[in-house]
Amino acid sequence: MAAPETRFLRSHDLTDGSAAGVRFERRPARTPEGALAPGLFNAWIWLDNPSQYNSYTTEMVKALILAFRAASNARDVNCVVFTGVGDKAFCTGGNTKEYAEYYAGRPQEYRQYMRLFNDMVSTILACDKPVICRINGMRIGGGQEIGMACDFSVAQDLARFGQAGPKHGSAPIGGATDFLPVMIGAERAMAACVLCEPFSAHEAYHMGMLTDIVPALKVDGQFIANPLVETEKLLDRFGRLAIGKPKTGEALKQAKELMKKGSVDLSRLDEKVEELCAKMLLTFPDCTAKTLEELRKPKLEAWNRNKEDSRAWLALNMVTEARAGFTAFNDGPKDDREVDFVLLRQKIAAGEPWVGSLHDEIQPKQPA
């Protein structure tokens, strides 16, 4: 059979997708049996800032927009895998050092930044290819939000999830308040967003946030489930969900000792992600794209309805609570990175304005 004619194809890319803090990689696509599919690829987009738990800077946000755009346009790409470097974190959200040192107290600048953030989330939701979030570690705050914009999520079971907004001077309105009610229901979304209590991969899986979870801890050459949480009992004696809840007391002590003996191995995570990519390889691409468009609508409609109002509010909040919260997280001592919430509420109740000493007085105290 004659080789197909090579035609001139116009590029619709804005860039090749690579930039500081973001890596764009094309990996050969494989069938479910493991055979190579010549000329076809899966695009892997990596957050590459592991020393700061893959938190995204302004430059990284711009690079992610361009990387997703390039992956979406690529005619030979089957799936997009969105992940982070290392085994500690997928992403912990916006870079708090940059927030504290540049954006705090500058609402006009942060408003421009939030335009980029909104475009990043929208670009993920508009990708013409299925997007898989490969959760290699913590998915917290804004990292949770960009992860939930993906179509599928597969996690290693040591990963932790959650929001951080009200604890650190913001509101989780970069996607969490839009996506979580759709994904896990209003009541659980309320608890996740307001209380900011982290939860395990097993809890996330049973809430319906994840497509699958895989073990990542290897002890004596064998994979074992996350020893820090309950994995063998579904319910407690009162009928409440026990699976995924943190262990306490002697059980926790033993779990920590087991953690010290083991090492993290993400090969099972990669296998599961590749398996998912391979399954989607054997589908009609346009039918798959249309199915994605329809299934994304509940998230997309909520996101588009709220994103501009959220952008405006978050910008103005950089003058008050966000400035205080990000400063505390960036400058506070290692074991105390939150403001004095009680003192803050007392001062507000007494009518004290934000302009003045309030910001400084509620900051965590440096050790003597």
Side-chain angles (χ1 to χ4, degrees):
M1 186 174 68
E5 179 185 350
T6 301
R7 294 182 174 86
F8 169 75
L9 297 175
R10 189 178 301 278
S11 173
H12 301 100
D13 295 338
L14 300 175
T15 178
D16 65 1
S18 298
V22 172
R23 285 167 38 198
F24 187 96
E25 178 185 4
R26 294 160 64 87
R27 292 192 178 184
R30 294 180 180 272
T31 69
E33 294 75 31
L36 283 173
L40 298 177
F41 302 88
N42 296 312
W44 285 56
I45 297 174
W46 298 80
L47 291 162
D48 191 2
N49 186 20
S51 65
Q52 295 178 312
Y53 298 103
N54 290 323
S55 57
Y56 43 78
T57 62
T58 303
E59 292 304 311
M60 289 171 67
V61 171
K62 291 191 284 187
L64 282 171
I65 294 168
L66 299 174
F68 269 95
R69 204 38 203 275
S72 181
N73 286 342
R75 299 170 181 87
D76 55 2
V77 163
N78 167 50
C79 286
V80 179
V81 178
F82 187 23
T83 190
V85 171
D87 59 26
K88 303 300 182 187
F90 162 67
C91 180
T92 54
N95 188 274
T96 52
K97 179 176 175 62
E98 186 180 52
Y99 283 2
E101 296 178 359
Y102 183 77
Y103 289 114
R106 305 174 76 180
Q108 293 84 2
E109 293 298 302
Y110 196 65
R111 186 181 177 92
Q112 292 192 40
Y113 166 83
M114 282 306 301
R115 168 66 74 212
L116 291 171
F117 177 90
N118 285 358
D119 288 348
M120 173 175 60
V121 175
S122 295
T123 301
I124 297 171
L125 287 166
C127 185
D128 285 336
K129 310 295 166 57
V131 182
I132 302 168
C133 185
R134 173 188 176 271
I135 306 167
N136 53 300
M138 290 185 290
R139 195 172 87 169
I140 301 291
Q144 171 86 311
E145 292 175 319
I146 60 175
M148 289 190 294
C150 301
D151 303 307
F152 302 88
S153 290
V154 179
Q156 60 108 328
D157 72 354
L158 300 175
R160 288 160 63 82
F161 299 77
Q163 298 306 137
K167 282 285 187 182
H168 295 292
S170 190
I173 54 179
T177 52
D178 302 305
F179 304 150
L180 278 173
V182 173
M183 299 173 73
I184 65 174
E187 194 79 10
R188 281 175 167 168
M190 189 71 71
C193 289
V194 175
L195 303 180
C196 301
E197 294 174 347
F199 46 92
S200 70
H202 288 84
E203 288 179 281
Y205 178 62
H206 282 272
M207 282 191 283
M209 291 181 65
L210 306 177
T211 304
D212 210 342
I213 54 175
V214 296
L217 184 66
K218 245 183 180 177
V219 178
D220 297 328
Q222 299 294 320
F223 281 103
I224 64 170
N226 182 354
L228 300 173
V229 302
E230 177 60 58
T231 59
E232 297 182 356
K233 185 171 63 175
L234 181 63
L235 304 175
D236 66 13
R237 65 192 183 95
F238 298 111
R240 299 172 301 189
L241 281 175
I243 194 161
K245 298 296 183 183
K247 292 179 179 178
T248 58
E250 184 61 28
L252 177 59
K253 182 179 178 181
Q254 293 176 8
K256 288 182 176 179
E257 290 300 316
L258 196 57
M259 288 286 294
K260 292 178 183 177
K261 296 178 182 178
S263 59
V264 176
D265 182 336
L266 298 184
S267 60
R268 285 280 185 92
L269 179 63
D270 289 341
E271 288 171 8
K272 184 59 65 173
V273 168
E274 290 288 353
E275 177 186 313
L276 196 52
C277 290
K279 288 180 178 179
M280 284 183 279
L281 182 67
L282 302 186
T283 64
F284 283 106
D286 283 349
C287 293
T288 297
K290 180 57 178 173
T291 303
L292 293 172
E293 288 174 359
E294 294 301 318
L295 290 171
R296 288 169 178 167
K297 280 183 178 178
K299 288 195 289 188
L300 193 58
E301 287 170 358
W303 170 247
N304 286 336
R305 183 168 59 245
N306 299 317
K307 65 182 180 182
E308 287 304 313
D309 288 345
S310 297
R311 173 181 172 239
W313 184 90
L314 287 166
L316 292 174
N317 187 52
M318 265 298 178
V319 180
T320 55
E321 292 184 350
R323 177 183 171 227
F326 291 133
T327 300
F329 190 84
N330 189 57
D331 298 340
K334 184 177 180 181
D335 58 349
D336 184 10
R337 294 190 170 187
E338 296 177 359
V339 302
D340 186 332
F341 294 114
V342 173
L343 180 60
L344 170 61
R345 289 173 177 271
Q346 289 170 338
K347 287 182 172 293
I348 290 174
E352 187 163 334
W354 274 96
V355 288
S357 62
L358 186 152
H359 170 272
D360 296 334
E361 291 177 11
I362 64 174
Q363 292 297 307
K365 301 298 183 285
Q366 297 290 344

